[in-house]
């Protein structure tokens, strides 16, 4: 997991969970499932390090993991899960037209028919990403533009878990819509999405460097406490080097 912190020379905190999972749960009672462990650590970081703006993680984080972090006002970026299928989002009806909006590839898309009779999910341009701070949580939106022969339409689409999303469907007894699973604050297949994806790749290279600095190319720690101590020490050294380099006077 990589964490971005604002206005610092080296704004990345790297937590290598892989190094904490070399023993079985029976031998390591503190070992937990990866997604819930990294989520707990993310909340702990937010509690202790004000100014964190974004988390990047792999597809181990699903909508239920992203939603509570989004509510705390940070951007959470992961790849779109392979099993996510298009879902109806909203049917907008105007005076002279109507548009059916679905979620696909992590963003709002308009369902359009093709001459071949195949459904096409056309991504809607996101003109702005407004954020509103409420009394208990933050609300993120996509300000989208719906193309139309009668003139474009602008709509605000929530990309946080709404109260309506959490209502239980009487048929399934499950929440009506897992919004954070199907629509992202930053869609993956965009310029900003590719930029955030690079942060995740950077963290993987840190993991590799940490492993390769030790004998047998593995972190010499058993259990989550020992592995976390080594990872924090590695991050401390890396951050100190970056801080010293940033303060050097140009020659």
């Amino acid at each position: 997991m990589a964490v971005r912190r604002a206005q610092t020379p080296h704004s990345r905190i790297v937590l290598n969970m892989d190094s904490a999972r070399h023993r079985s749960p029976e031998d390591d009672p503190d070992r937990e499932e990866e997604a819930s462990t990294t989520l707990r650590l993310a909340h702990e970081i937010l509690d202790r390090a004000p100014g964190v703006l974004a988390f990047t993680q792999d597809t181990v984080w699903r909508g239920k993991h992203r939603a509570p972090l989004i509510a705390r006002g940070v951007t959470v970026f992961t790849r779109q899960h392979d099993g996510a299928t298009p879902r109806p989002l909203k049917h907008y009806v105007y005076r002279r037209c109507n548009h059916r909006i679905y979620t696909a590839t992590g963003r709002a898309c308009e369902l359009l028919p093709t001459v071949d009779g195949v459904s096409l999910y056309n991504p809607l341009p996101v003109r702005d990403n407004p954020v509103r701070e409420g009394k208990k949580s933050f609300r993120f939106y996509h300000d989208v533009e719906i193309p139309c022969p009668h003139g474009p339409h602008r709509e605000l689409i929530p990309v946080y878990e709404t109260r309506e999303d959490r209502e239980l469907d009487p048929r399934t007894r499950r929440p009506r819509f897992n919004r954070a699973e199907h629509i992202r604050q930053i869609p993956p297949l965009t310029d900003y999405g590719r930029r955030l994806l690079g942060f995740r790749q950077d963290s993987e290279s840190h993991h590799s460097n940490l492993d390769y600095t030790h004998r047998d190319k593995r972190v010499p720690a058993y259990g989550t406490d020992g592995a976390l101590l080594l990872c924090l020490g590695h991050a401390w050294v890396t951050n100190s080097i970056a801080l010293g380099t940033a303060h050097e006077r140009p020659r």
Side-chain angles (χ1 to χ4, degrees):
M1 177 175 65
V3 185
R4 303 298 288 182
R5 192 175 183 212
Q7 299 178 347
T8 55
H10 186 79
S11 57
R12 182 179 294 107
I13 302 172
V14 179
L15 298 178
N16 183 356
M17 296 306 303
D18 176 71
S19 61
R21 301 199 311 272
H22 291 318
R23 303 186 75 181
S24 66
E26 292 78 13
D27 293 335
D28 184 3
D30 295 327
R31 168 181 160 174
E32 296 180 19
E33 190 266 336
E34 181 181 4
S36 60
T37 301
T38 52
L39 179 62
R40 175 178 56 80
L41 292 173
H43 282 291
E44 184 175 340
I45 290 171
L46 288 176
D47 293 337
R48 299 189 180 192
V52 171
L53 297 180
F55 289 93
T56 63
Q57 177 62 288
D58 57 22
T59 54
V60 69
W61 270 2
R62 305 296 295 268
K64 66 179 182 179
H65 303 107
R66 290 187 289 268
L69 293 174
I70 293 172
R72 296 192 64 174
V74 298
T75 298
V76 185
F77 180 82
T78 70
R79 289 181 181 270
Q80 183 67 3
H81 197 270
D82 293 337
T85 57
R87 292 281 303 273
L89 187 61
K90 190 168 183 178
H91 184 195
Y92 291 98
V93 179
Y94 304 100
R95 187 169 62 88
R96 294 192 293 172
C97 60
N98 68 89
H99 301 266
R100 295 185 180 275
I101 308 303
Y102 281 67
T103 62
T105 65
R107 63 188 302 175
C109 302
E110 183 176 9
L111 177 62
L112 300 175
T114 67
V115 294
D116 299 324
V118 179
S119 296
L120 171 67
Y121 296 95
N122 185 43
L124 299 181
V126 179
R127 300 307 184 193
D128 196 9
N129 298 86
V131 182
R132 298 172 182 172
E133 183 177 359
K135 294 182 179 180
K136 296 183 178 181
S137 64
F138 286 80
R139 302 188 300 273
F140 290 79
Y141 298 88
H142 283 177
D143 182 357
V144 302
E145 180 178 289
I146 304 175
C148 180
H150 303 290
H153 308 282
R154 295 287 288 269
E155 296 287 351
L156 275 182
I157 295 180
V159 293
Y160 67 97
E161 186 180 62
T162 68
R163 182 176 59 185
E164 291 76 15
D165 295 337
R166 293 191 292 268
E167 291 179 353
L168 296 182
D169 188 319
R171 296 173 302 173
T172 63
R173 306 304 302 169
R174 294 181 179 180
R176 290 184 179 276
F177 186 43
N178 188 352
R179 187 177 297 264
E181 178 77 1
H182 294 279
I183 188 168
R184 305 301 172 81
Q185 295 162 286
I186 305 296
L189 300 179
T190 61
D191 291 340
Y192 286 118
R194 294 184 182 94
R195 174 62 175 154
L196 286 173
L197 180 61
F199 296 163
R200 170 65 187 170
Q201 294 165 344
D202 287 348
S203 67
E204 293 291 355
S205 68
H206 274 264
H207 297 173
S208 179
N209 290 338
L210 179 57
D211 283 336
Y212 273 73
T213 56
H214 296 92
R215 186 176 180 178
D216 296 328
K217 300 178 182 179
R218 284 291 185 183
V219 172
Y222 293 97
T224 55
D225 291 340
L228 181 60
L229 178 61
L230 285 172
C231 291
L232 290 177
H234 178 70
W236 189 4
V237 171
T238 303
N239 291 348
S240 298
I241 294 173
L243 184 62
T245 302
H247 288 173
E248 287 183 356
R249 294 182 179 180
R251 297 179 180 178

